[in-house]
Amino acid sequence: MTSKMGTLQRHLRGAFQRSIGIVLSILAGVFVGSLIMIWYKQNPVEIYTLLLKGAVGSQRSIFIAMQRATPLIFTAIASTIAFRTGVFNIGVEGQFFIGAICGTFVGYAFALPTIIHLPLTLLAGFLGGAAWAYFPTIMRQKLGISEIITTIMTNYIATHLISYLTNYPMRASPTTTETPPVQATTRLPQFIELTRHWAKPLGKGTQAHFGIFIALAVVAIVYFIFKRTKLGYELRMVGISFPFSEFGGIHLDRAFIGGMLISGGIAGLGGIVEILGVWREYKNLFATGFGFRGNLASLLGRQSVIGSLVAALFYGAMEAGALGLEWAAGIPRQLIDIVIGLIIFFMAAEGMWDFVKRIKWVRAPEAARKSTQELEV
Amino acid sequence: MDTTVLLDILQRYVFNVANLQGMLRLSTPIVLAGLCALITSRAGILNIAGEGMILFGAWFAVAGSYFAENALVGVAAAMLSGAVIGGLFALFSLRFRAHIIIMGIAINIFANAATIFLTRAVFKQAGAFAAPRIQGLNPIALPIIKDIPILGEVLSGYSLIVYLTWILVALTTLFLYRTPWGLHLRAVGENPQAAETLGINVPRIRFAAVMASGVYASLAGVYLSLGHLKMYTDQMAAGRGYIGMAVNTFGGGEPIGVFLASTLFGLVDTIGWRLQGERIMPVYFISMLPYVATLVALTVFTLRQQRAKRAALANNAEEE
């Protein structure tokens, strides 16, 4: 009994230690955000209330938040896997787009029954993203070239390549720069489409779609891989210490390359899910910034799988709130990106909260503090 | 293809005055973004916040010029903003141990939102801001050079920032290789531990490098908003911060290399515009070229380095 209590206390303390920095950062971000709002001659209390209402205040806003969060869950998980293997995958942005365009092609070019077509389209998205991650991964693995520079390059190559594809071979008609729509057999249903005839339709006025379930499934699978499989163990070990894991007999190449390819694949999957659920055809540069926001959400979630999920949902809710704010009160929705940016600044700046760690009860164990700080630049 | 056709193509798409002028104009902000990346990378810091710093520079240049009705005040305001953002970036990432890449991404997203917000809050405009009160940087004709037949046309008649950029390329080279501070900076970049044992204040050098990178980037912003058009447009940095990292890598971390690589990017841009106008071939592959070239250059460079290292090791073994 006593030992159980001890474990519980330890768990609670651990959770508290992990979240204290996040809570303080959010408070600091919200506070500085308030100062900006006062300068903008607005009442911060009113604005934050409106923001919360826009984020979770009604059924509609919850569905908007869900729609905004869906792609972020994929990109955040993709970033987290890369982080865990010790690399910084800025290429999530490009992998997201390449996955989307590959999947779109399979989506419109073939006519198959849903049971085959949908998985095939998703697979194409996954493979596209993974393929796009392959080259930077090999350059890092074989030549030791920083993946940050190479993934920035591949992001741009992706952008231009896709502009070409949507303007020439995959163009639907001379007047647009879009691909043909994907077949009905491979669309992910939106909640409103399925429940239109209900007495109380779900997600009215939103494009929230079933992609959220795929996102949650990915989270569950990745969580399982990390916790329960040999590959997950190897990935974590590679991320923690390269020399040590080699000594321990882990195939570095396999674990590292595998981790990066899965990361790219999940980013690509996010891209095609966004197409199948929301857009149904590839509009050139349909949604920029999900990759970078995913990187940030992963950080907000302390690079843990569940943390990334929570952070992506939080980010999505904030974006929904910001949209609501703009509609309701004409406040620029960028105000929220500013506040989130501030929160990230405060959160990333671990040294800023050193004074908190000096308080005995919250003092974190040495090892935990090292997490990402030692990542090579 | 025989030579006359080749010459004809070269003249049409590369060696004519309009193209060369376009090349130098388009390369200017890229050179500055490249120097921004260079000064930090030579101090051993990977600074990806150039994009955000350029945006702030562009915004404050327009704001300064608008309120003071003087372009130079705009330039000063932008440079100040660059130093401040650079200082904050350095404070958070060096002093408070924020992860430098995360901090960079956060600054870029923050700058994007903040400039859009500021345009709406201060100028009550959305998307873009132009006003007659904004003073631009006028073209300057260089005294003697302007009278040289073709060369004069190519080299003269740009705004202040273009000339300043050329001077900065030279000054940065001098700084790196001819001053003690430059020596310290390179030492910090190559081997921080060794530099520290020599009594060099590593954090201070890095702090200064990041602040300087902010000033370089802000000048790129000034060129975008006041150098040519006298207006501010949301997201007008358009990836130049990242392209700056590409030219720095492609140029081998040398100022002159950055300049040449940027000129290549500028040339590709002009050719791209040209081809698009004439509808000869999709412009996208040409736009892709510099990035592919950077990857190839990086690969070749690293392979050669590795081979040299291996050869050196083999030699040592033989001698022993």
Side-chain angles (χ1 to χ4, degrees):
Chain A
M1 188 69 198
T2 38
S3 78
K4 242 183 198 166
M5 283 299 285
T7 330
L8 183 66
Q9 200 185 357
R10 240 192 353 263
H11 273 292
L12 275 179
R13 186 186 285 198
F16 182 73
Q17 280 160 351
R18 277 195 299 278
S19 52
I20 184 88
I22 302 178
V23 172
L24 284 177
S25 308
I26 291 178
L27 287 179
V30 165
F31 174 72
V32 179
S34 309
L35 295 183
I36 298 173
M37 288 167 198
I38 291 169
W39 173 72
Y40 194 60
K41 301 196 180 63
Q42 296 286 341
N43 180 351
V45 180
E46 236 168 68
I47 294 208
Y48 284 122
T49 317
L50 272 176
L51 182 71
L52 274 181
K53 266 192 194 149
V56 288
S58 66
Q59 194 231 52
R60 177 161 177 260
S61 54
I62 289 174
F63 274 87
I64 292 181
M66 207 156 81
Q67 184 206 326
R68 306 289 297 184
T70 305
L72 283 175
I73 295 174
F74 288 99
T75 52
I77 292 290
S79 316
T80 295
I81 294 172
F83 264 133
R84 286 294 195 84
T85 47
V87 287
F88 206 119
N89 186 2
I90 293 192
V92 169
E93 183 92 2
Q95 291 143 16
F96 184 86
F97 285 130
I98 292 290
I101 196 87
C102 290
T104 305
F105 176 73
V106 174
Y108 74 72
F110 301 100
L112 297 160
T114 300
I115 189 100
I116 304 169
H117 202 182
L118 182 59
L120 204 63
T121 314
L122 295 175
L123 182 70
F126 184 91
L127 291 179
W132 210 245
Y134 183 74
F135 192 55
T137 308
I138 290 300
M139 280 178 85
R140 159 82 190 243
Q141 184 64 31
K142 300 276 178 232
L143 300 170
I145 296 171
S146 158
E147 74 280 3
I148 292 173
I149 302 274
T150 51
T151 49
I152 285 175
M153 297 305 116
T154 50
N155 280 350
Y156 277 97
I157 296 172
T159 311
H160 291 300
L161 181 65
I162 289 173
S163 292
Y164 166 72
L165 290 173
T166 51
N167 272 292
Y168 292 89
M170 292 171 73
R171 193 171 187 158
S173 78
T175 49
T176 61
T177 55
E178 299 156 10
T179 65
V182 295
Q183 309 277 354
T185 46
T186 189
R187 288 182 188 174
L188 287 167
Q190 294 175 357
F191 286 94
I192 184 65
E193 292 169 340
L194 290 186
T195 62
R196 188 166 285 138
H197 304 296
W198 293 13
K200 275 190 182 167
L202 291 173
K204 207 174 172 191
T206 78
Q207 291 173 302
H209 54 88
F210 275 36
I212 186 80
F213 298 124
I214 301 179
L216 294 177
V218 165
V219 172
I221 293 168
V222 171
Y223 185 79
F224 178 79
I225 289 177
F226 268 123
K227 283 276 167 193
R228 291 270 179 272
T229 67
K230 186 160 163 259
L231 175 68
Y233 172 76
E234 290 181 352
L235 288 179
R236 275 184 295 149
M237 284 304 116
V238 170
I240 291 167
S241 164
F242 238 84
F244 173 76
S245 46
E246 189 154 42
F247 182 72
I250 290 172
H251 298 288
L252 283 188
D253 290 354
R254 206 186 65 177
F256 178 83
I257 295 175
M260 270 302 271
L261 294 191
I262 295 175
S263 167
I266 289 175
L269 191 59
I272 186 56
V273 164
E274 184 72 359
I275 295 277
L276 296 182
V278 179
W279 302 89
R280 273 79 192 272
E281 65 196 16
Y282 197 104
K283 285 186 170 50
N284 200 7
L285 300 183
F286 60 102
T288 52
F290 279 128
F292 292 126
R293 284 183 170 74
N295 291 145
L296 290 190
S298 168
L299 170 88
L300 265 175
R302 281 281 183 239
Q303 291 127 21
S304 79
V305 178
I306 302 302
S308 301
L309 170 67
V310 174
L313 289 171
F314 171 75
Y315 211 135
M318 286 298 103
E319 284 192 0
L323 284 175
L325 197 60
E326 190 158 88
W327 291 331
I331 314 282
R333 66 172 187 279
Q334 282 76 22
L335 197 56
I336 297 320
D337 263 348
I338 292 179
V339 173
I340 289 192
L342 290 166
I343 293 174
I344 301 277
F345 292 160
F346 292 125
M347 244 191 83
E350 300 189 2
M352 214 173 198
W353 309 110
D354 277 354
F355 69 94
V356 180
K357 290 195 181 123
R358 271 182 225 120
I359 304 168
K360 198 177 164 205
W361 201 79
V362 291
R363 191 179 294 151
E366 258 332 282
R369 242 191 285 167
K370 288 201 166 168
S371 60
T372 61
Q373 209 43 60
E374 318 295 312
L375 265 181
E376 278 291 314
V377 184
Chain B
M1 204 187 311
D2 63 82
T3 27
T4 48
V5 177
L6 194 69
L7 278 177
D8 183 54
I9 290 179
L10 273 180
Q11 202 196 349
R12 270 171 57 136
Y13 293 107
V14 185
F15 295 111
N16 68 58
V17 172
N19 276 0
L20 293 177
Q21 280 176 338
M23 174 182 89
L24 289 175
R25 285 218 178 88
L26 288 170
S27 66
T28 296
I30 302 178
V31 176
L32 290 164
L35 291 176
C36 157
L38 179 143
I39 202 76
T40 34
S41 76
R42 288 308 285 269
I45 295 169
L46 195 53
N47 171 9
I48 71 163
E51 185 79 2
M53 293 166 163
I54 294 175
L55 271 179
F56 272 120
W59 194 87
F60 278 98
V62 158
S65 178
Y66 175 80
F67 286 114
E69 294 188 57
N70 182 334
L72 290 179
V73 175
V75 177
M79 289 172 74
L80 190 67
S81 82
V84 170
I85 300 293
L88 283 175
F89 184 38
L91 181 74
F92 273 74
S93 53
L94 303 176
R95 184 73 211 287
F96 296 148
R97 304 193 310 267
H99 188 291
I100 196 124
I101 304 295
I102 289 167
M103 202 60 204
I105 296 178
I107 283 199
N108 290 343
I109 289 183
F110 177 79
N112 186 29
T115 46
I116 293 174
F117 179 77
L118 279 172
T119 310
R120 285 182 65 166
V122 176
F123 300 124
K124 312 280 177 253
Q125 300 282 328
F129 175 61
R133 271 182 63 175
I134 301 173
Q135 302 295 312
L137 292 160
N138 295 323
I140 301 170
L142 295 177
I144 299 156
I145 296 172
K146 74 172 192 308
D147 299 323
I148 307 172
I150 293 165
L151 206 60
E153 269 185 276
V154 175
L155 290 182
S156 178
Y158 301 104
S159 62
L160 176 72
I161 303 288
V162 177
Y163 303 124
L164 187 63
T165 303
W166 299 347
I167 296 170
L168 277 175
V169 170
L171 282 183
T172 309
T173 313
L174 282 180
F175 169 81
L176 281 178
Y177 294 102
R178 292 279 180 274
T179 67
W181 287 4
L183 179 68
H184 288 181
L185 184 94
R186 286 184 290 130
V188 168
E190 260 156 45
N191 193 337
Q193 281 86 11
E196 201 156 9
T197 53
L198 290 174
I200 296 174
N201 190 335
V202 176
R204 187 183 293 167
I205 295 269
R206 287 193 159 154
F207 208 103
V210 175
M211 275 182 86
S213 80
V215 176
Y216 282 125
S218 69
L219 285 173
V222 172
Y223 184 76
L224 293 178
S225 63
L226 294 184
H228 216 58
L229 284 175
K230 296 199 297 182
M231 73 181 288
Y232 173 82
T233 318
D234 285 343
Q235 307 183 321
M236 72 188 314
R240 287 188 183 79
Y242 297 114
I243 296 172
M245 300 178 67
V247 292
N248 177 41
T249 312
F250 194 48
E254 300 292 338
I256 189 69
V258 164
F259 182 79
L260 293 176
S262 308
T263 322
L264 180 72
F265 271 72
L267 180 68
V268 166
D269 257 4
T270 26
I271 295 176
W273 286 112
R274 203 62 196 278
L275 288 178
Q276 201 168 25
E278 299 188 8
R279 299 175 175 282
I280 293 177
M281 68 174 278
V283 59
Y284 308 102
F285 286 106
I286 300 196
S287 315
M288 216 185 282
L289 215 59
Y291 305 103
V292 177
T294 305
L295 287 180
V296 172
L298 209 53
T299 310
V300 172
F301 180 71
T302 314
L303 276 176
R304 281 215 328 243
Q305 231 176 9
Q306 281 188 349
R307 201 166 301 152
K309 212 181 258 171
R310 228 172 289 141
L313 278 177
N315 277 344
N316 279 351
E318 261 173 42
E319 275 166 27
E320 276 164 21

